[in-house]
Amino acid sequence: MKRCLYLLLTIAVLTSCEQEIPYNGEYQDPKLVLQLREELPEGPYYVGCLISRSAFFLDKLSSPAELRINDASVTMQRNEDEPIALQRVGEGVYAFTNALPFFQVGDVIRFRASCSGYPDIEACDTIVPRPEVDLVAYTYDSIKNVFHVRVRFGDNTGYEGFLGCKGYVYIKYKNAPYGTAKEYDSRQIRSKDAIFSGVGNAFSSERGYNAPIELFCKTKDASNREVEFEIPVGLSLSNANVMVVDERVGITFTTHSQHSYRYWKSLYNYKHIQGSEDVDMSTAISGMFGSEESVQLYSNVENGYGILSAASSKFVSVIFEIEYNQ
């Protein structure tokens, strides 16, 4: 009974001492934020971007839509050509409404935006080439439940950048023969090839270099090289009661500019999308006590925030004509 009285007294003291503490620190004025709808690729492209403003942490917002800017002036410039004005087509959305522009490797694409009350912003990046890569072989390991995909890269040494590899598996299945169809998809990808060392990929002695979304390597390291990937499946396809209705397996290979690579690496780190590593007790313990540093998202917008980046992709699709339940 005495313990309960102490507890009630403590709660009463804490609640009665509640008061609003004024913020006396430095206030940061809002700046414009530029976000592309998609990264700029080699070839024809729909140009669209979102213009908004930054918010101070004490700002009271009822909705993120309040941050969108509808009266901005936005232009896109290719190399030394005349800038093209983008038209507002939605809440804070600006787009190039004429024929689709065609971007060539080496083109410098520059965006500028201005709005009364904010500093003018500017950002640019250079169009990068699509990676040269072809499918060599593929198999399915029913024991380990893993798709093996081997590809050969072409001569990618002409660009000093980074190559991203994203696995993709989609399976529609049902419990044979009358079950309701269900869907499974995964983005896990891994490889034991040494080209994925040295750029921050997670490494496990069991799985090799692995990522829940994207593995990175330098483009020059992948040139003229055969590389094998593994795409694991978290679904027992060898189960006699499982009947596969549809399956799609593939890997998307993306050449990233320096800006694109830095942005995606910072985003994966920010969201703690790191892959599986061999256990390091000291790292695990330090993480429990919150000693890890916060991650700042990469931005290349002058006088503002956001990202304008170039990346060109090629998708390698694989069709596995396998009787999984045999």
Side-chain angles (χ1 to χ4, degrees), residues 84-267:
I84 301 171
L86 274 64
Q87 305 299 318
R88 186 168 73 86
V89 295
E91 291 294 315
V93 180
Y94 298 80
F96 182 58
T97 56
N98 295 329
L100 297 180
F102 189 91
F103 295 144
Q104 296 180 331
V105 176
D107 284 347
V108 177
I109 309 300
R110 188 179 309 275
F111 276 64
R112 296 183 179 93
S114 61
C115 181
S116 177
Y118 302 93
D120 294 351
I121 62 173
E122 180 177 321
C124 72
D125 204 356
T126 304
I127 302 300
V128 297
R130 289 191 180 91
E132 296 182 17
V133 57
D134 293 298
L135 179 66
V136 175
Y138 53 92
T139 58
Y140 168 66
D141 186 335
S142 60
I143 304 299
K144 296 183 177 180
N145 209 19
V146 171
F147 292 106
H148 295 266
V149 180
R150 176 170 284 273
V151 301
R152 181 170 183 80
F153 291 102
D155 185 5
N156 293 301
T157 56
Y159 173 68
E160 288 285 338
F162 295 88
L163 186 69
C165 311
K166 293 182 178 180
Y168 172 76
V169 56
Y170 166 84
I171 298 172
K172 189 174 183 179
Y173 68 99
K174 62 182 180 179
N175 294 328
Y178 305 113
T180 303
K182 302 177 182 179
E183 295 180 335
Y184 168 87
D185 67 87
S186 174
R187 299 294 190 274
Q188 294 279 337
I189 187 170
R190 61 198 193 203
S191 177
K192 296 180 180 178
D193 199 290
I195 65 172
F196 297 105
S197 64
V199 289
N201 295 307
F203 178 79
S204 163
S205 55
E206 178 184 357
R207 301 178 179 87
Y209 300 99
N210 64 96
I213 295 182
E214 189 168 17
L215 279 177
F216 291 100
C217 69
K218 295 180 179 180
T219 53
K220 64 179 182 180
D221 292 342
S223 292
N224 303 309
R225 185 183 183 97
E226 281 196 11
V227 177
E228 182 171 300
F229 295 90
E230 294 179 355
I231 303 178
V233 183
L235 175 69
S236 180
L237 299 177
S238 59
N239 189 329
N241 293 321
V242 174
M243 184 175 73
V244 175
V245 179
D246 183 23
E247 58 80 19
R248 303 166 204 167
V249 181
I251 303 176
T252 299
F253 298 96
T254 302
T255 304
H256 291 275
S257 69
Q258 296 282 345
H259 292 309
S260 175
Y261 170 74
R262 291 184 180 185
Y263 171 75
W264 285 107
K265 285 291 288 187
S266 70
L267 182 62

